[in-house]
Structure formats: C-alpha cells, structure tokens
Amino acid sequence: MLFGRELRFSQQLWQQEDVRCACEGTLACSTCHLIFEDHMFQKLDAITDEELDMLDLAYGLTETSRLGCQICLQKPMNNMVVRVPEGIADVRQSVDIGKNP
C-alpha cells in the first residue's frame, strides 16, 4: 500500500476489480464508488458535502459507501476489504436524447 496516497492509487484494487476513476480524483464523478466494511468505515475521515453530492449519483449506494479518490490510505487500513458495486453510474456513457448521437 502507498500510505498517505489516495485509495485510487492502490494497484491491488484496480488490478482485481473493474473500478474506474474517470475524473482523476476531482470529485466530478462517482466511478470509484466503493463499499466499506462497517468497522473500517467508522475509521475513515469525515465525508465532505461535495463527496456526498457525487455519491448521490452512485449506483448501489449504501450506508458505508465512499469514493475511493477521497480516501487517504493509512496503516490501519492495511489488509482491509472493500466491495465494488455491480455497476457504475458514469455520465460519460449517457446519451442526450435531444441530440443526435
């Protein structure tokens, strides 16, 4: 693990799961949505209003959902387990019905 870096930099996570970070950590999407175990969720830093706004758009939102790009890795997180939702909400894949594709 790269302690002190955002969870989105964890190669172990990205190699094993289909997780994207489309906005590169700028809080402009919810493609890095992760679901934490209760005991680990309680240890995370406080969630911001901006992250809550993006989580509202996430697929499969739960009480322990967070965006991976907003989680800074710390030693107590070593060997933690996170779940990846079955799908993602990515507005880049949307088509505006009012426009021609």
Side-chain angles (χ1 to χ4, degrees):
M1 281 189 157
L2 297 170
F3 299 117
R5 299 290 306 268
E6 291 91 7
L7 185 56
R8 68 186 175 106
F9 291 111
S10 172
Q11 292 300 314
Q12 293 168 326
L13 179 64
W14 308 139
Q15 289 172 358
Q16 295 177 15
E17 300 291 346
D18 185 24
V19 177
R20 298 171 184 89
C21 192
C23 74
E24 297 181 0
T26 62
L27 275 172
C29 74
S30 62
T31 58
C32 63
H33 170 213
L34 300 172
I35 301 169
F36 290 81
E37 295 176 316
D38 289 332
H39 71 280
M40 188 56 62
F41 182 81
Q42 300 301 322
K43 296 178 183 179
L44 299 177
D45 291 337
I47 193 167
T48 64
D49 289 338
E50 293 84 3
E51 183 179 356
L52 283 171
D53 289 344
M54 284 297 108
L55 281 171
D56 284 342
L57 306 173
Y59 177 88
L61 187 64
T62 73
E63 292 292 320
T64 60
S65 290
R66 292 292 301 266
L67 298 179
C69 69
Q70 299 303 301
I71 305 301
C72 187
L73 293 171
Q74 301 169 13
K75 286 187 180 184
M77 295 177 177
N78 201 22
N79 297 318
M80 76 175 165
V81 176
V82 295
R83 236 174 8 109
V84 178
E86 293 180 19
I88 61 167
D90 187 350
V91 295
R92 297 172 308 146
Q93 297 172 349
S94 307
V95 175
D96 187 347
I97 296 174
K99 296 183 179 182
N100 293 329

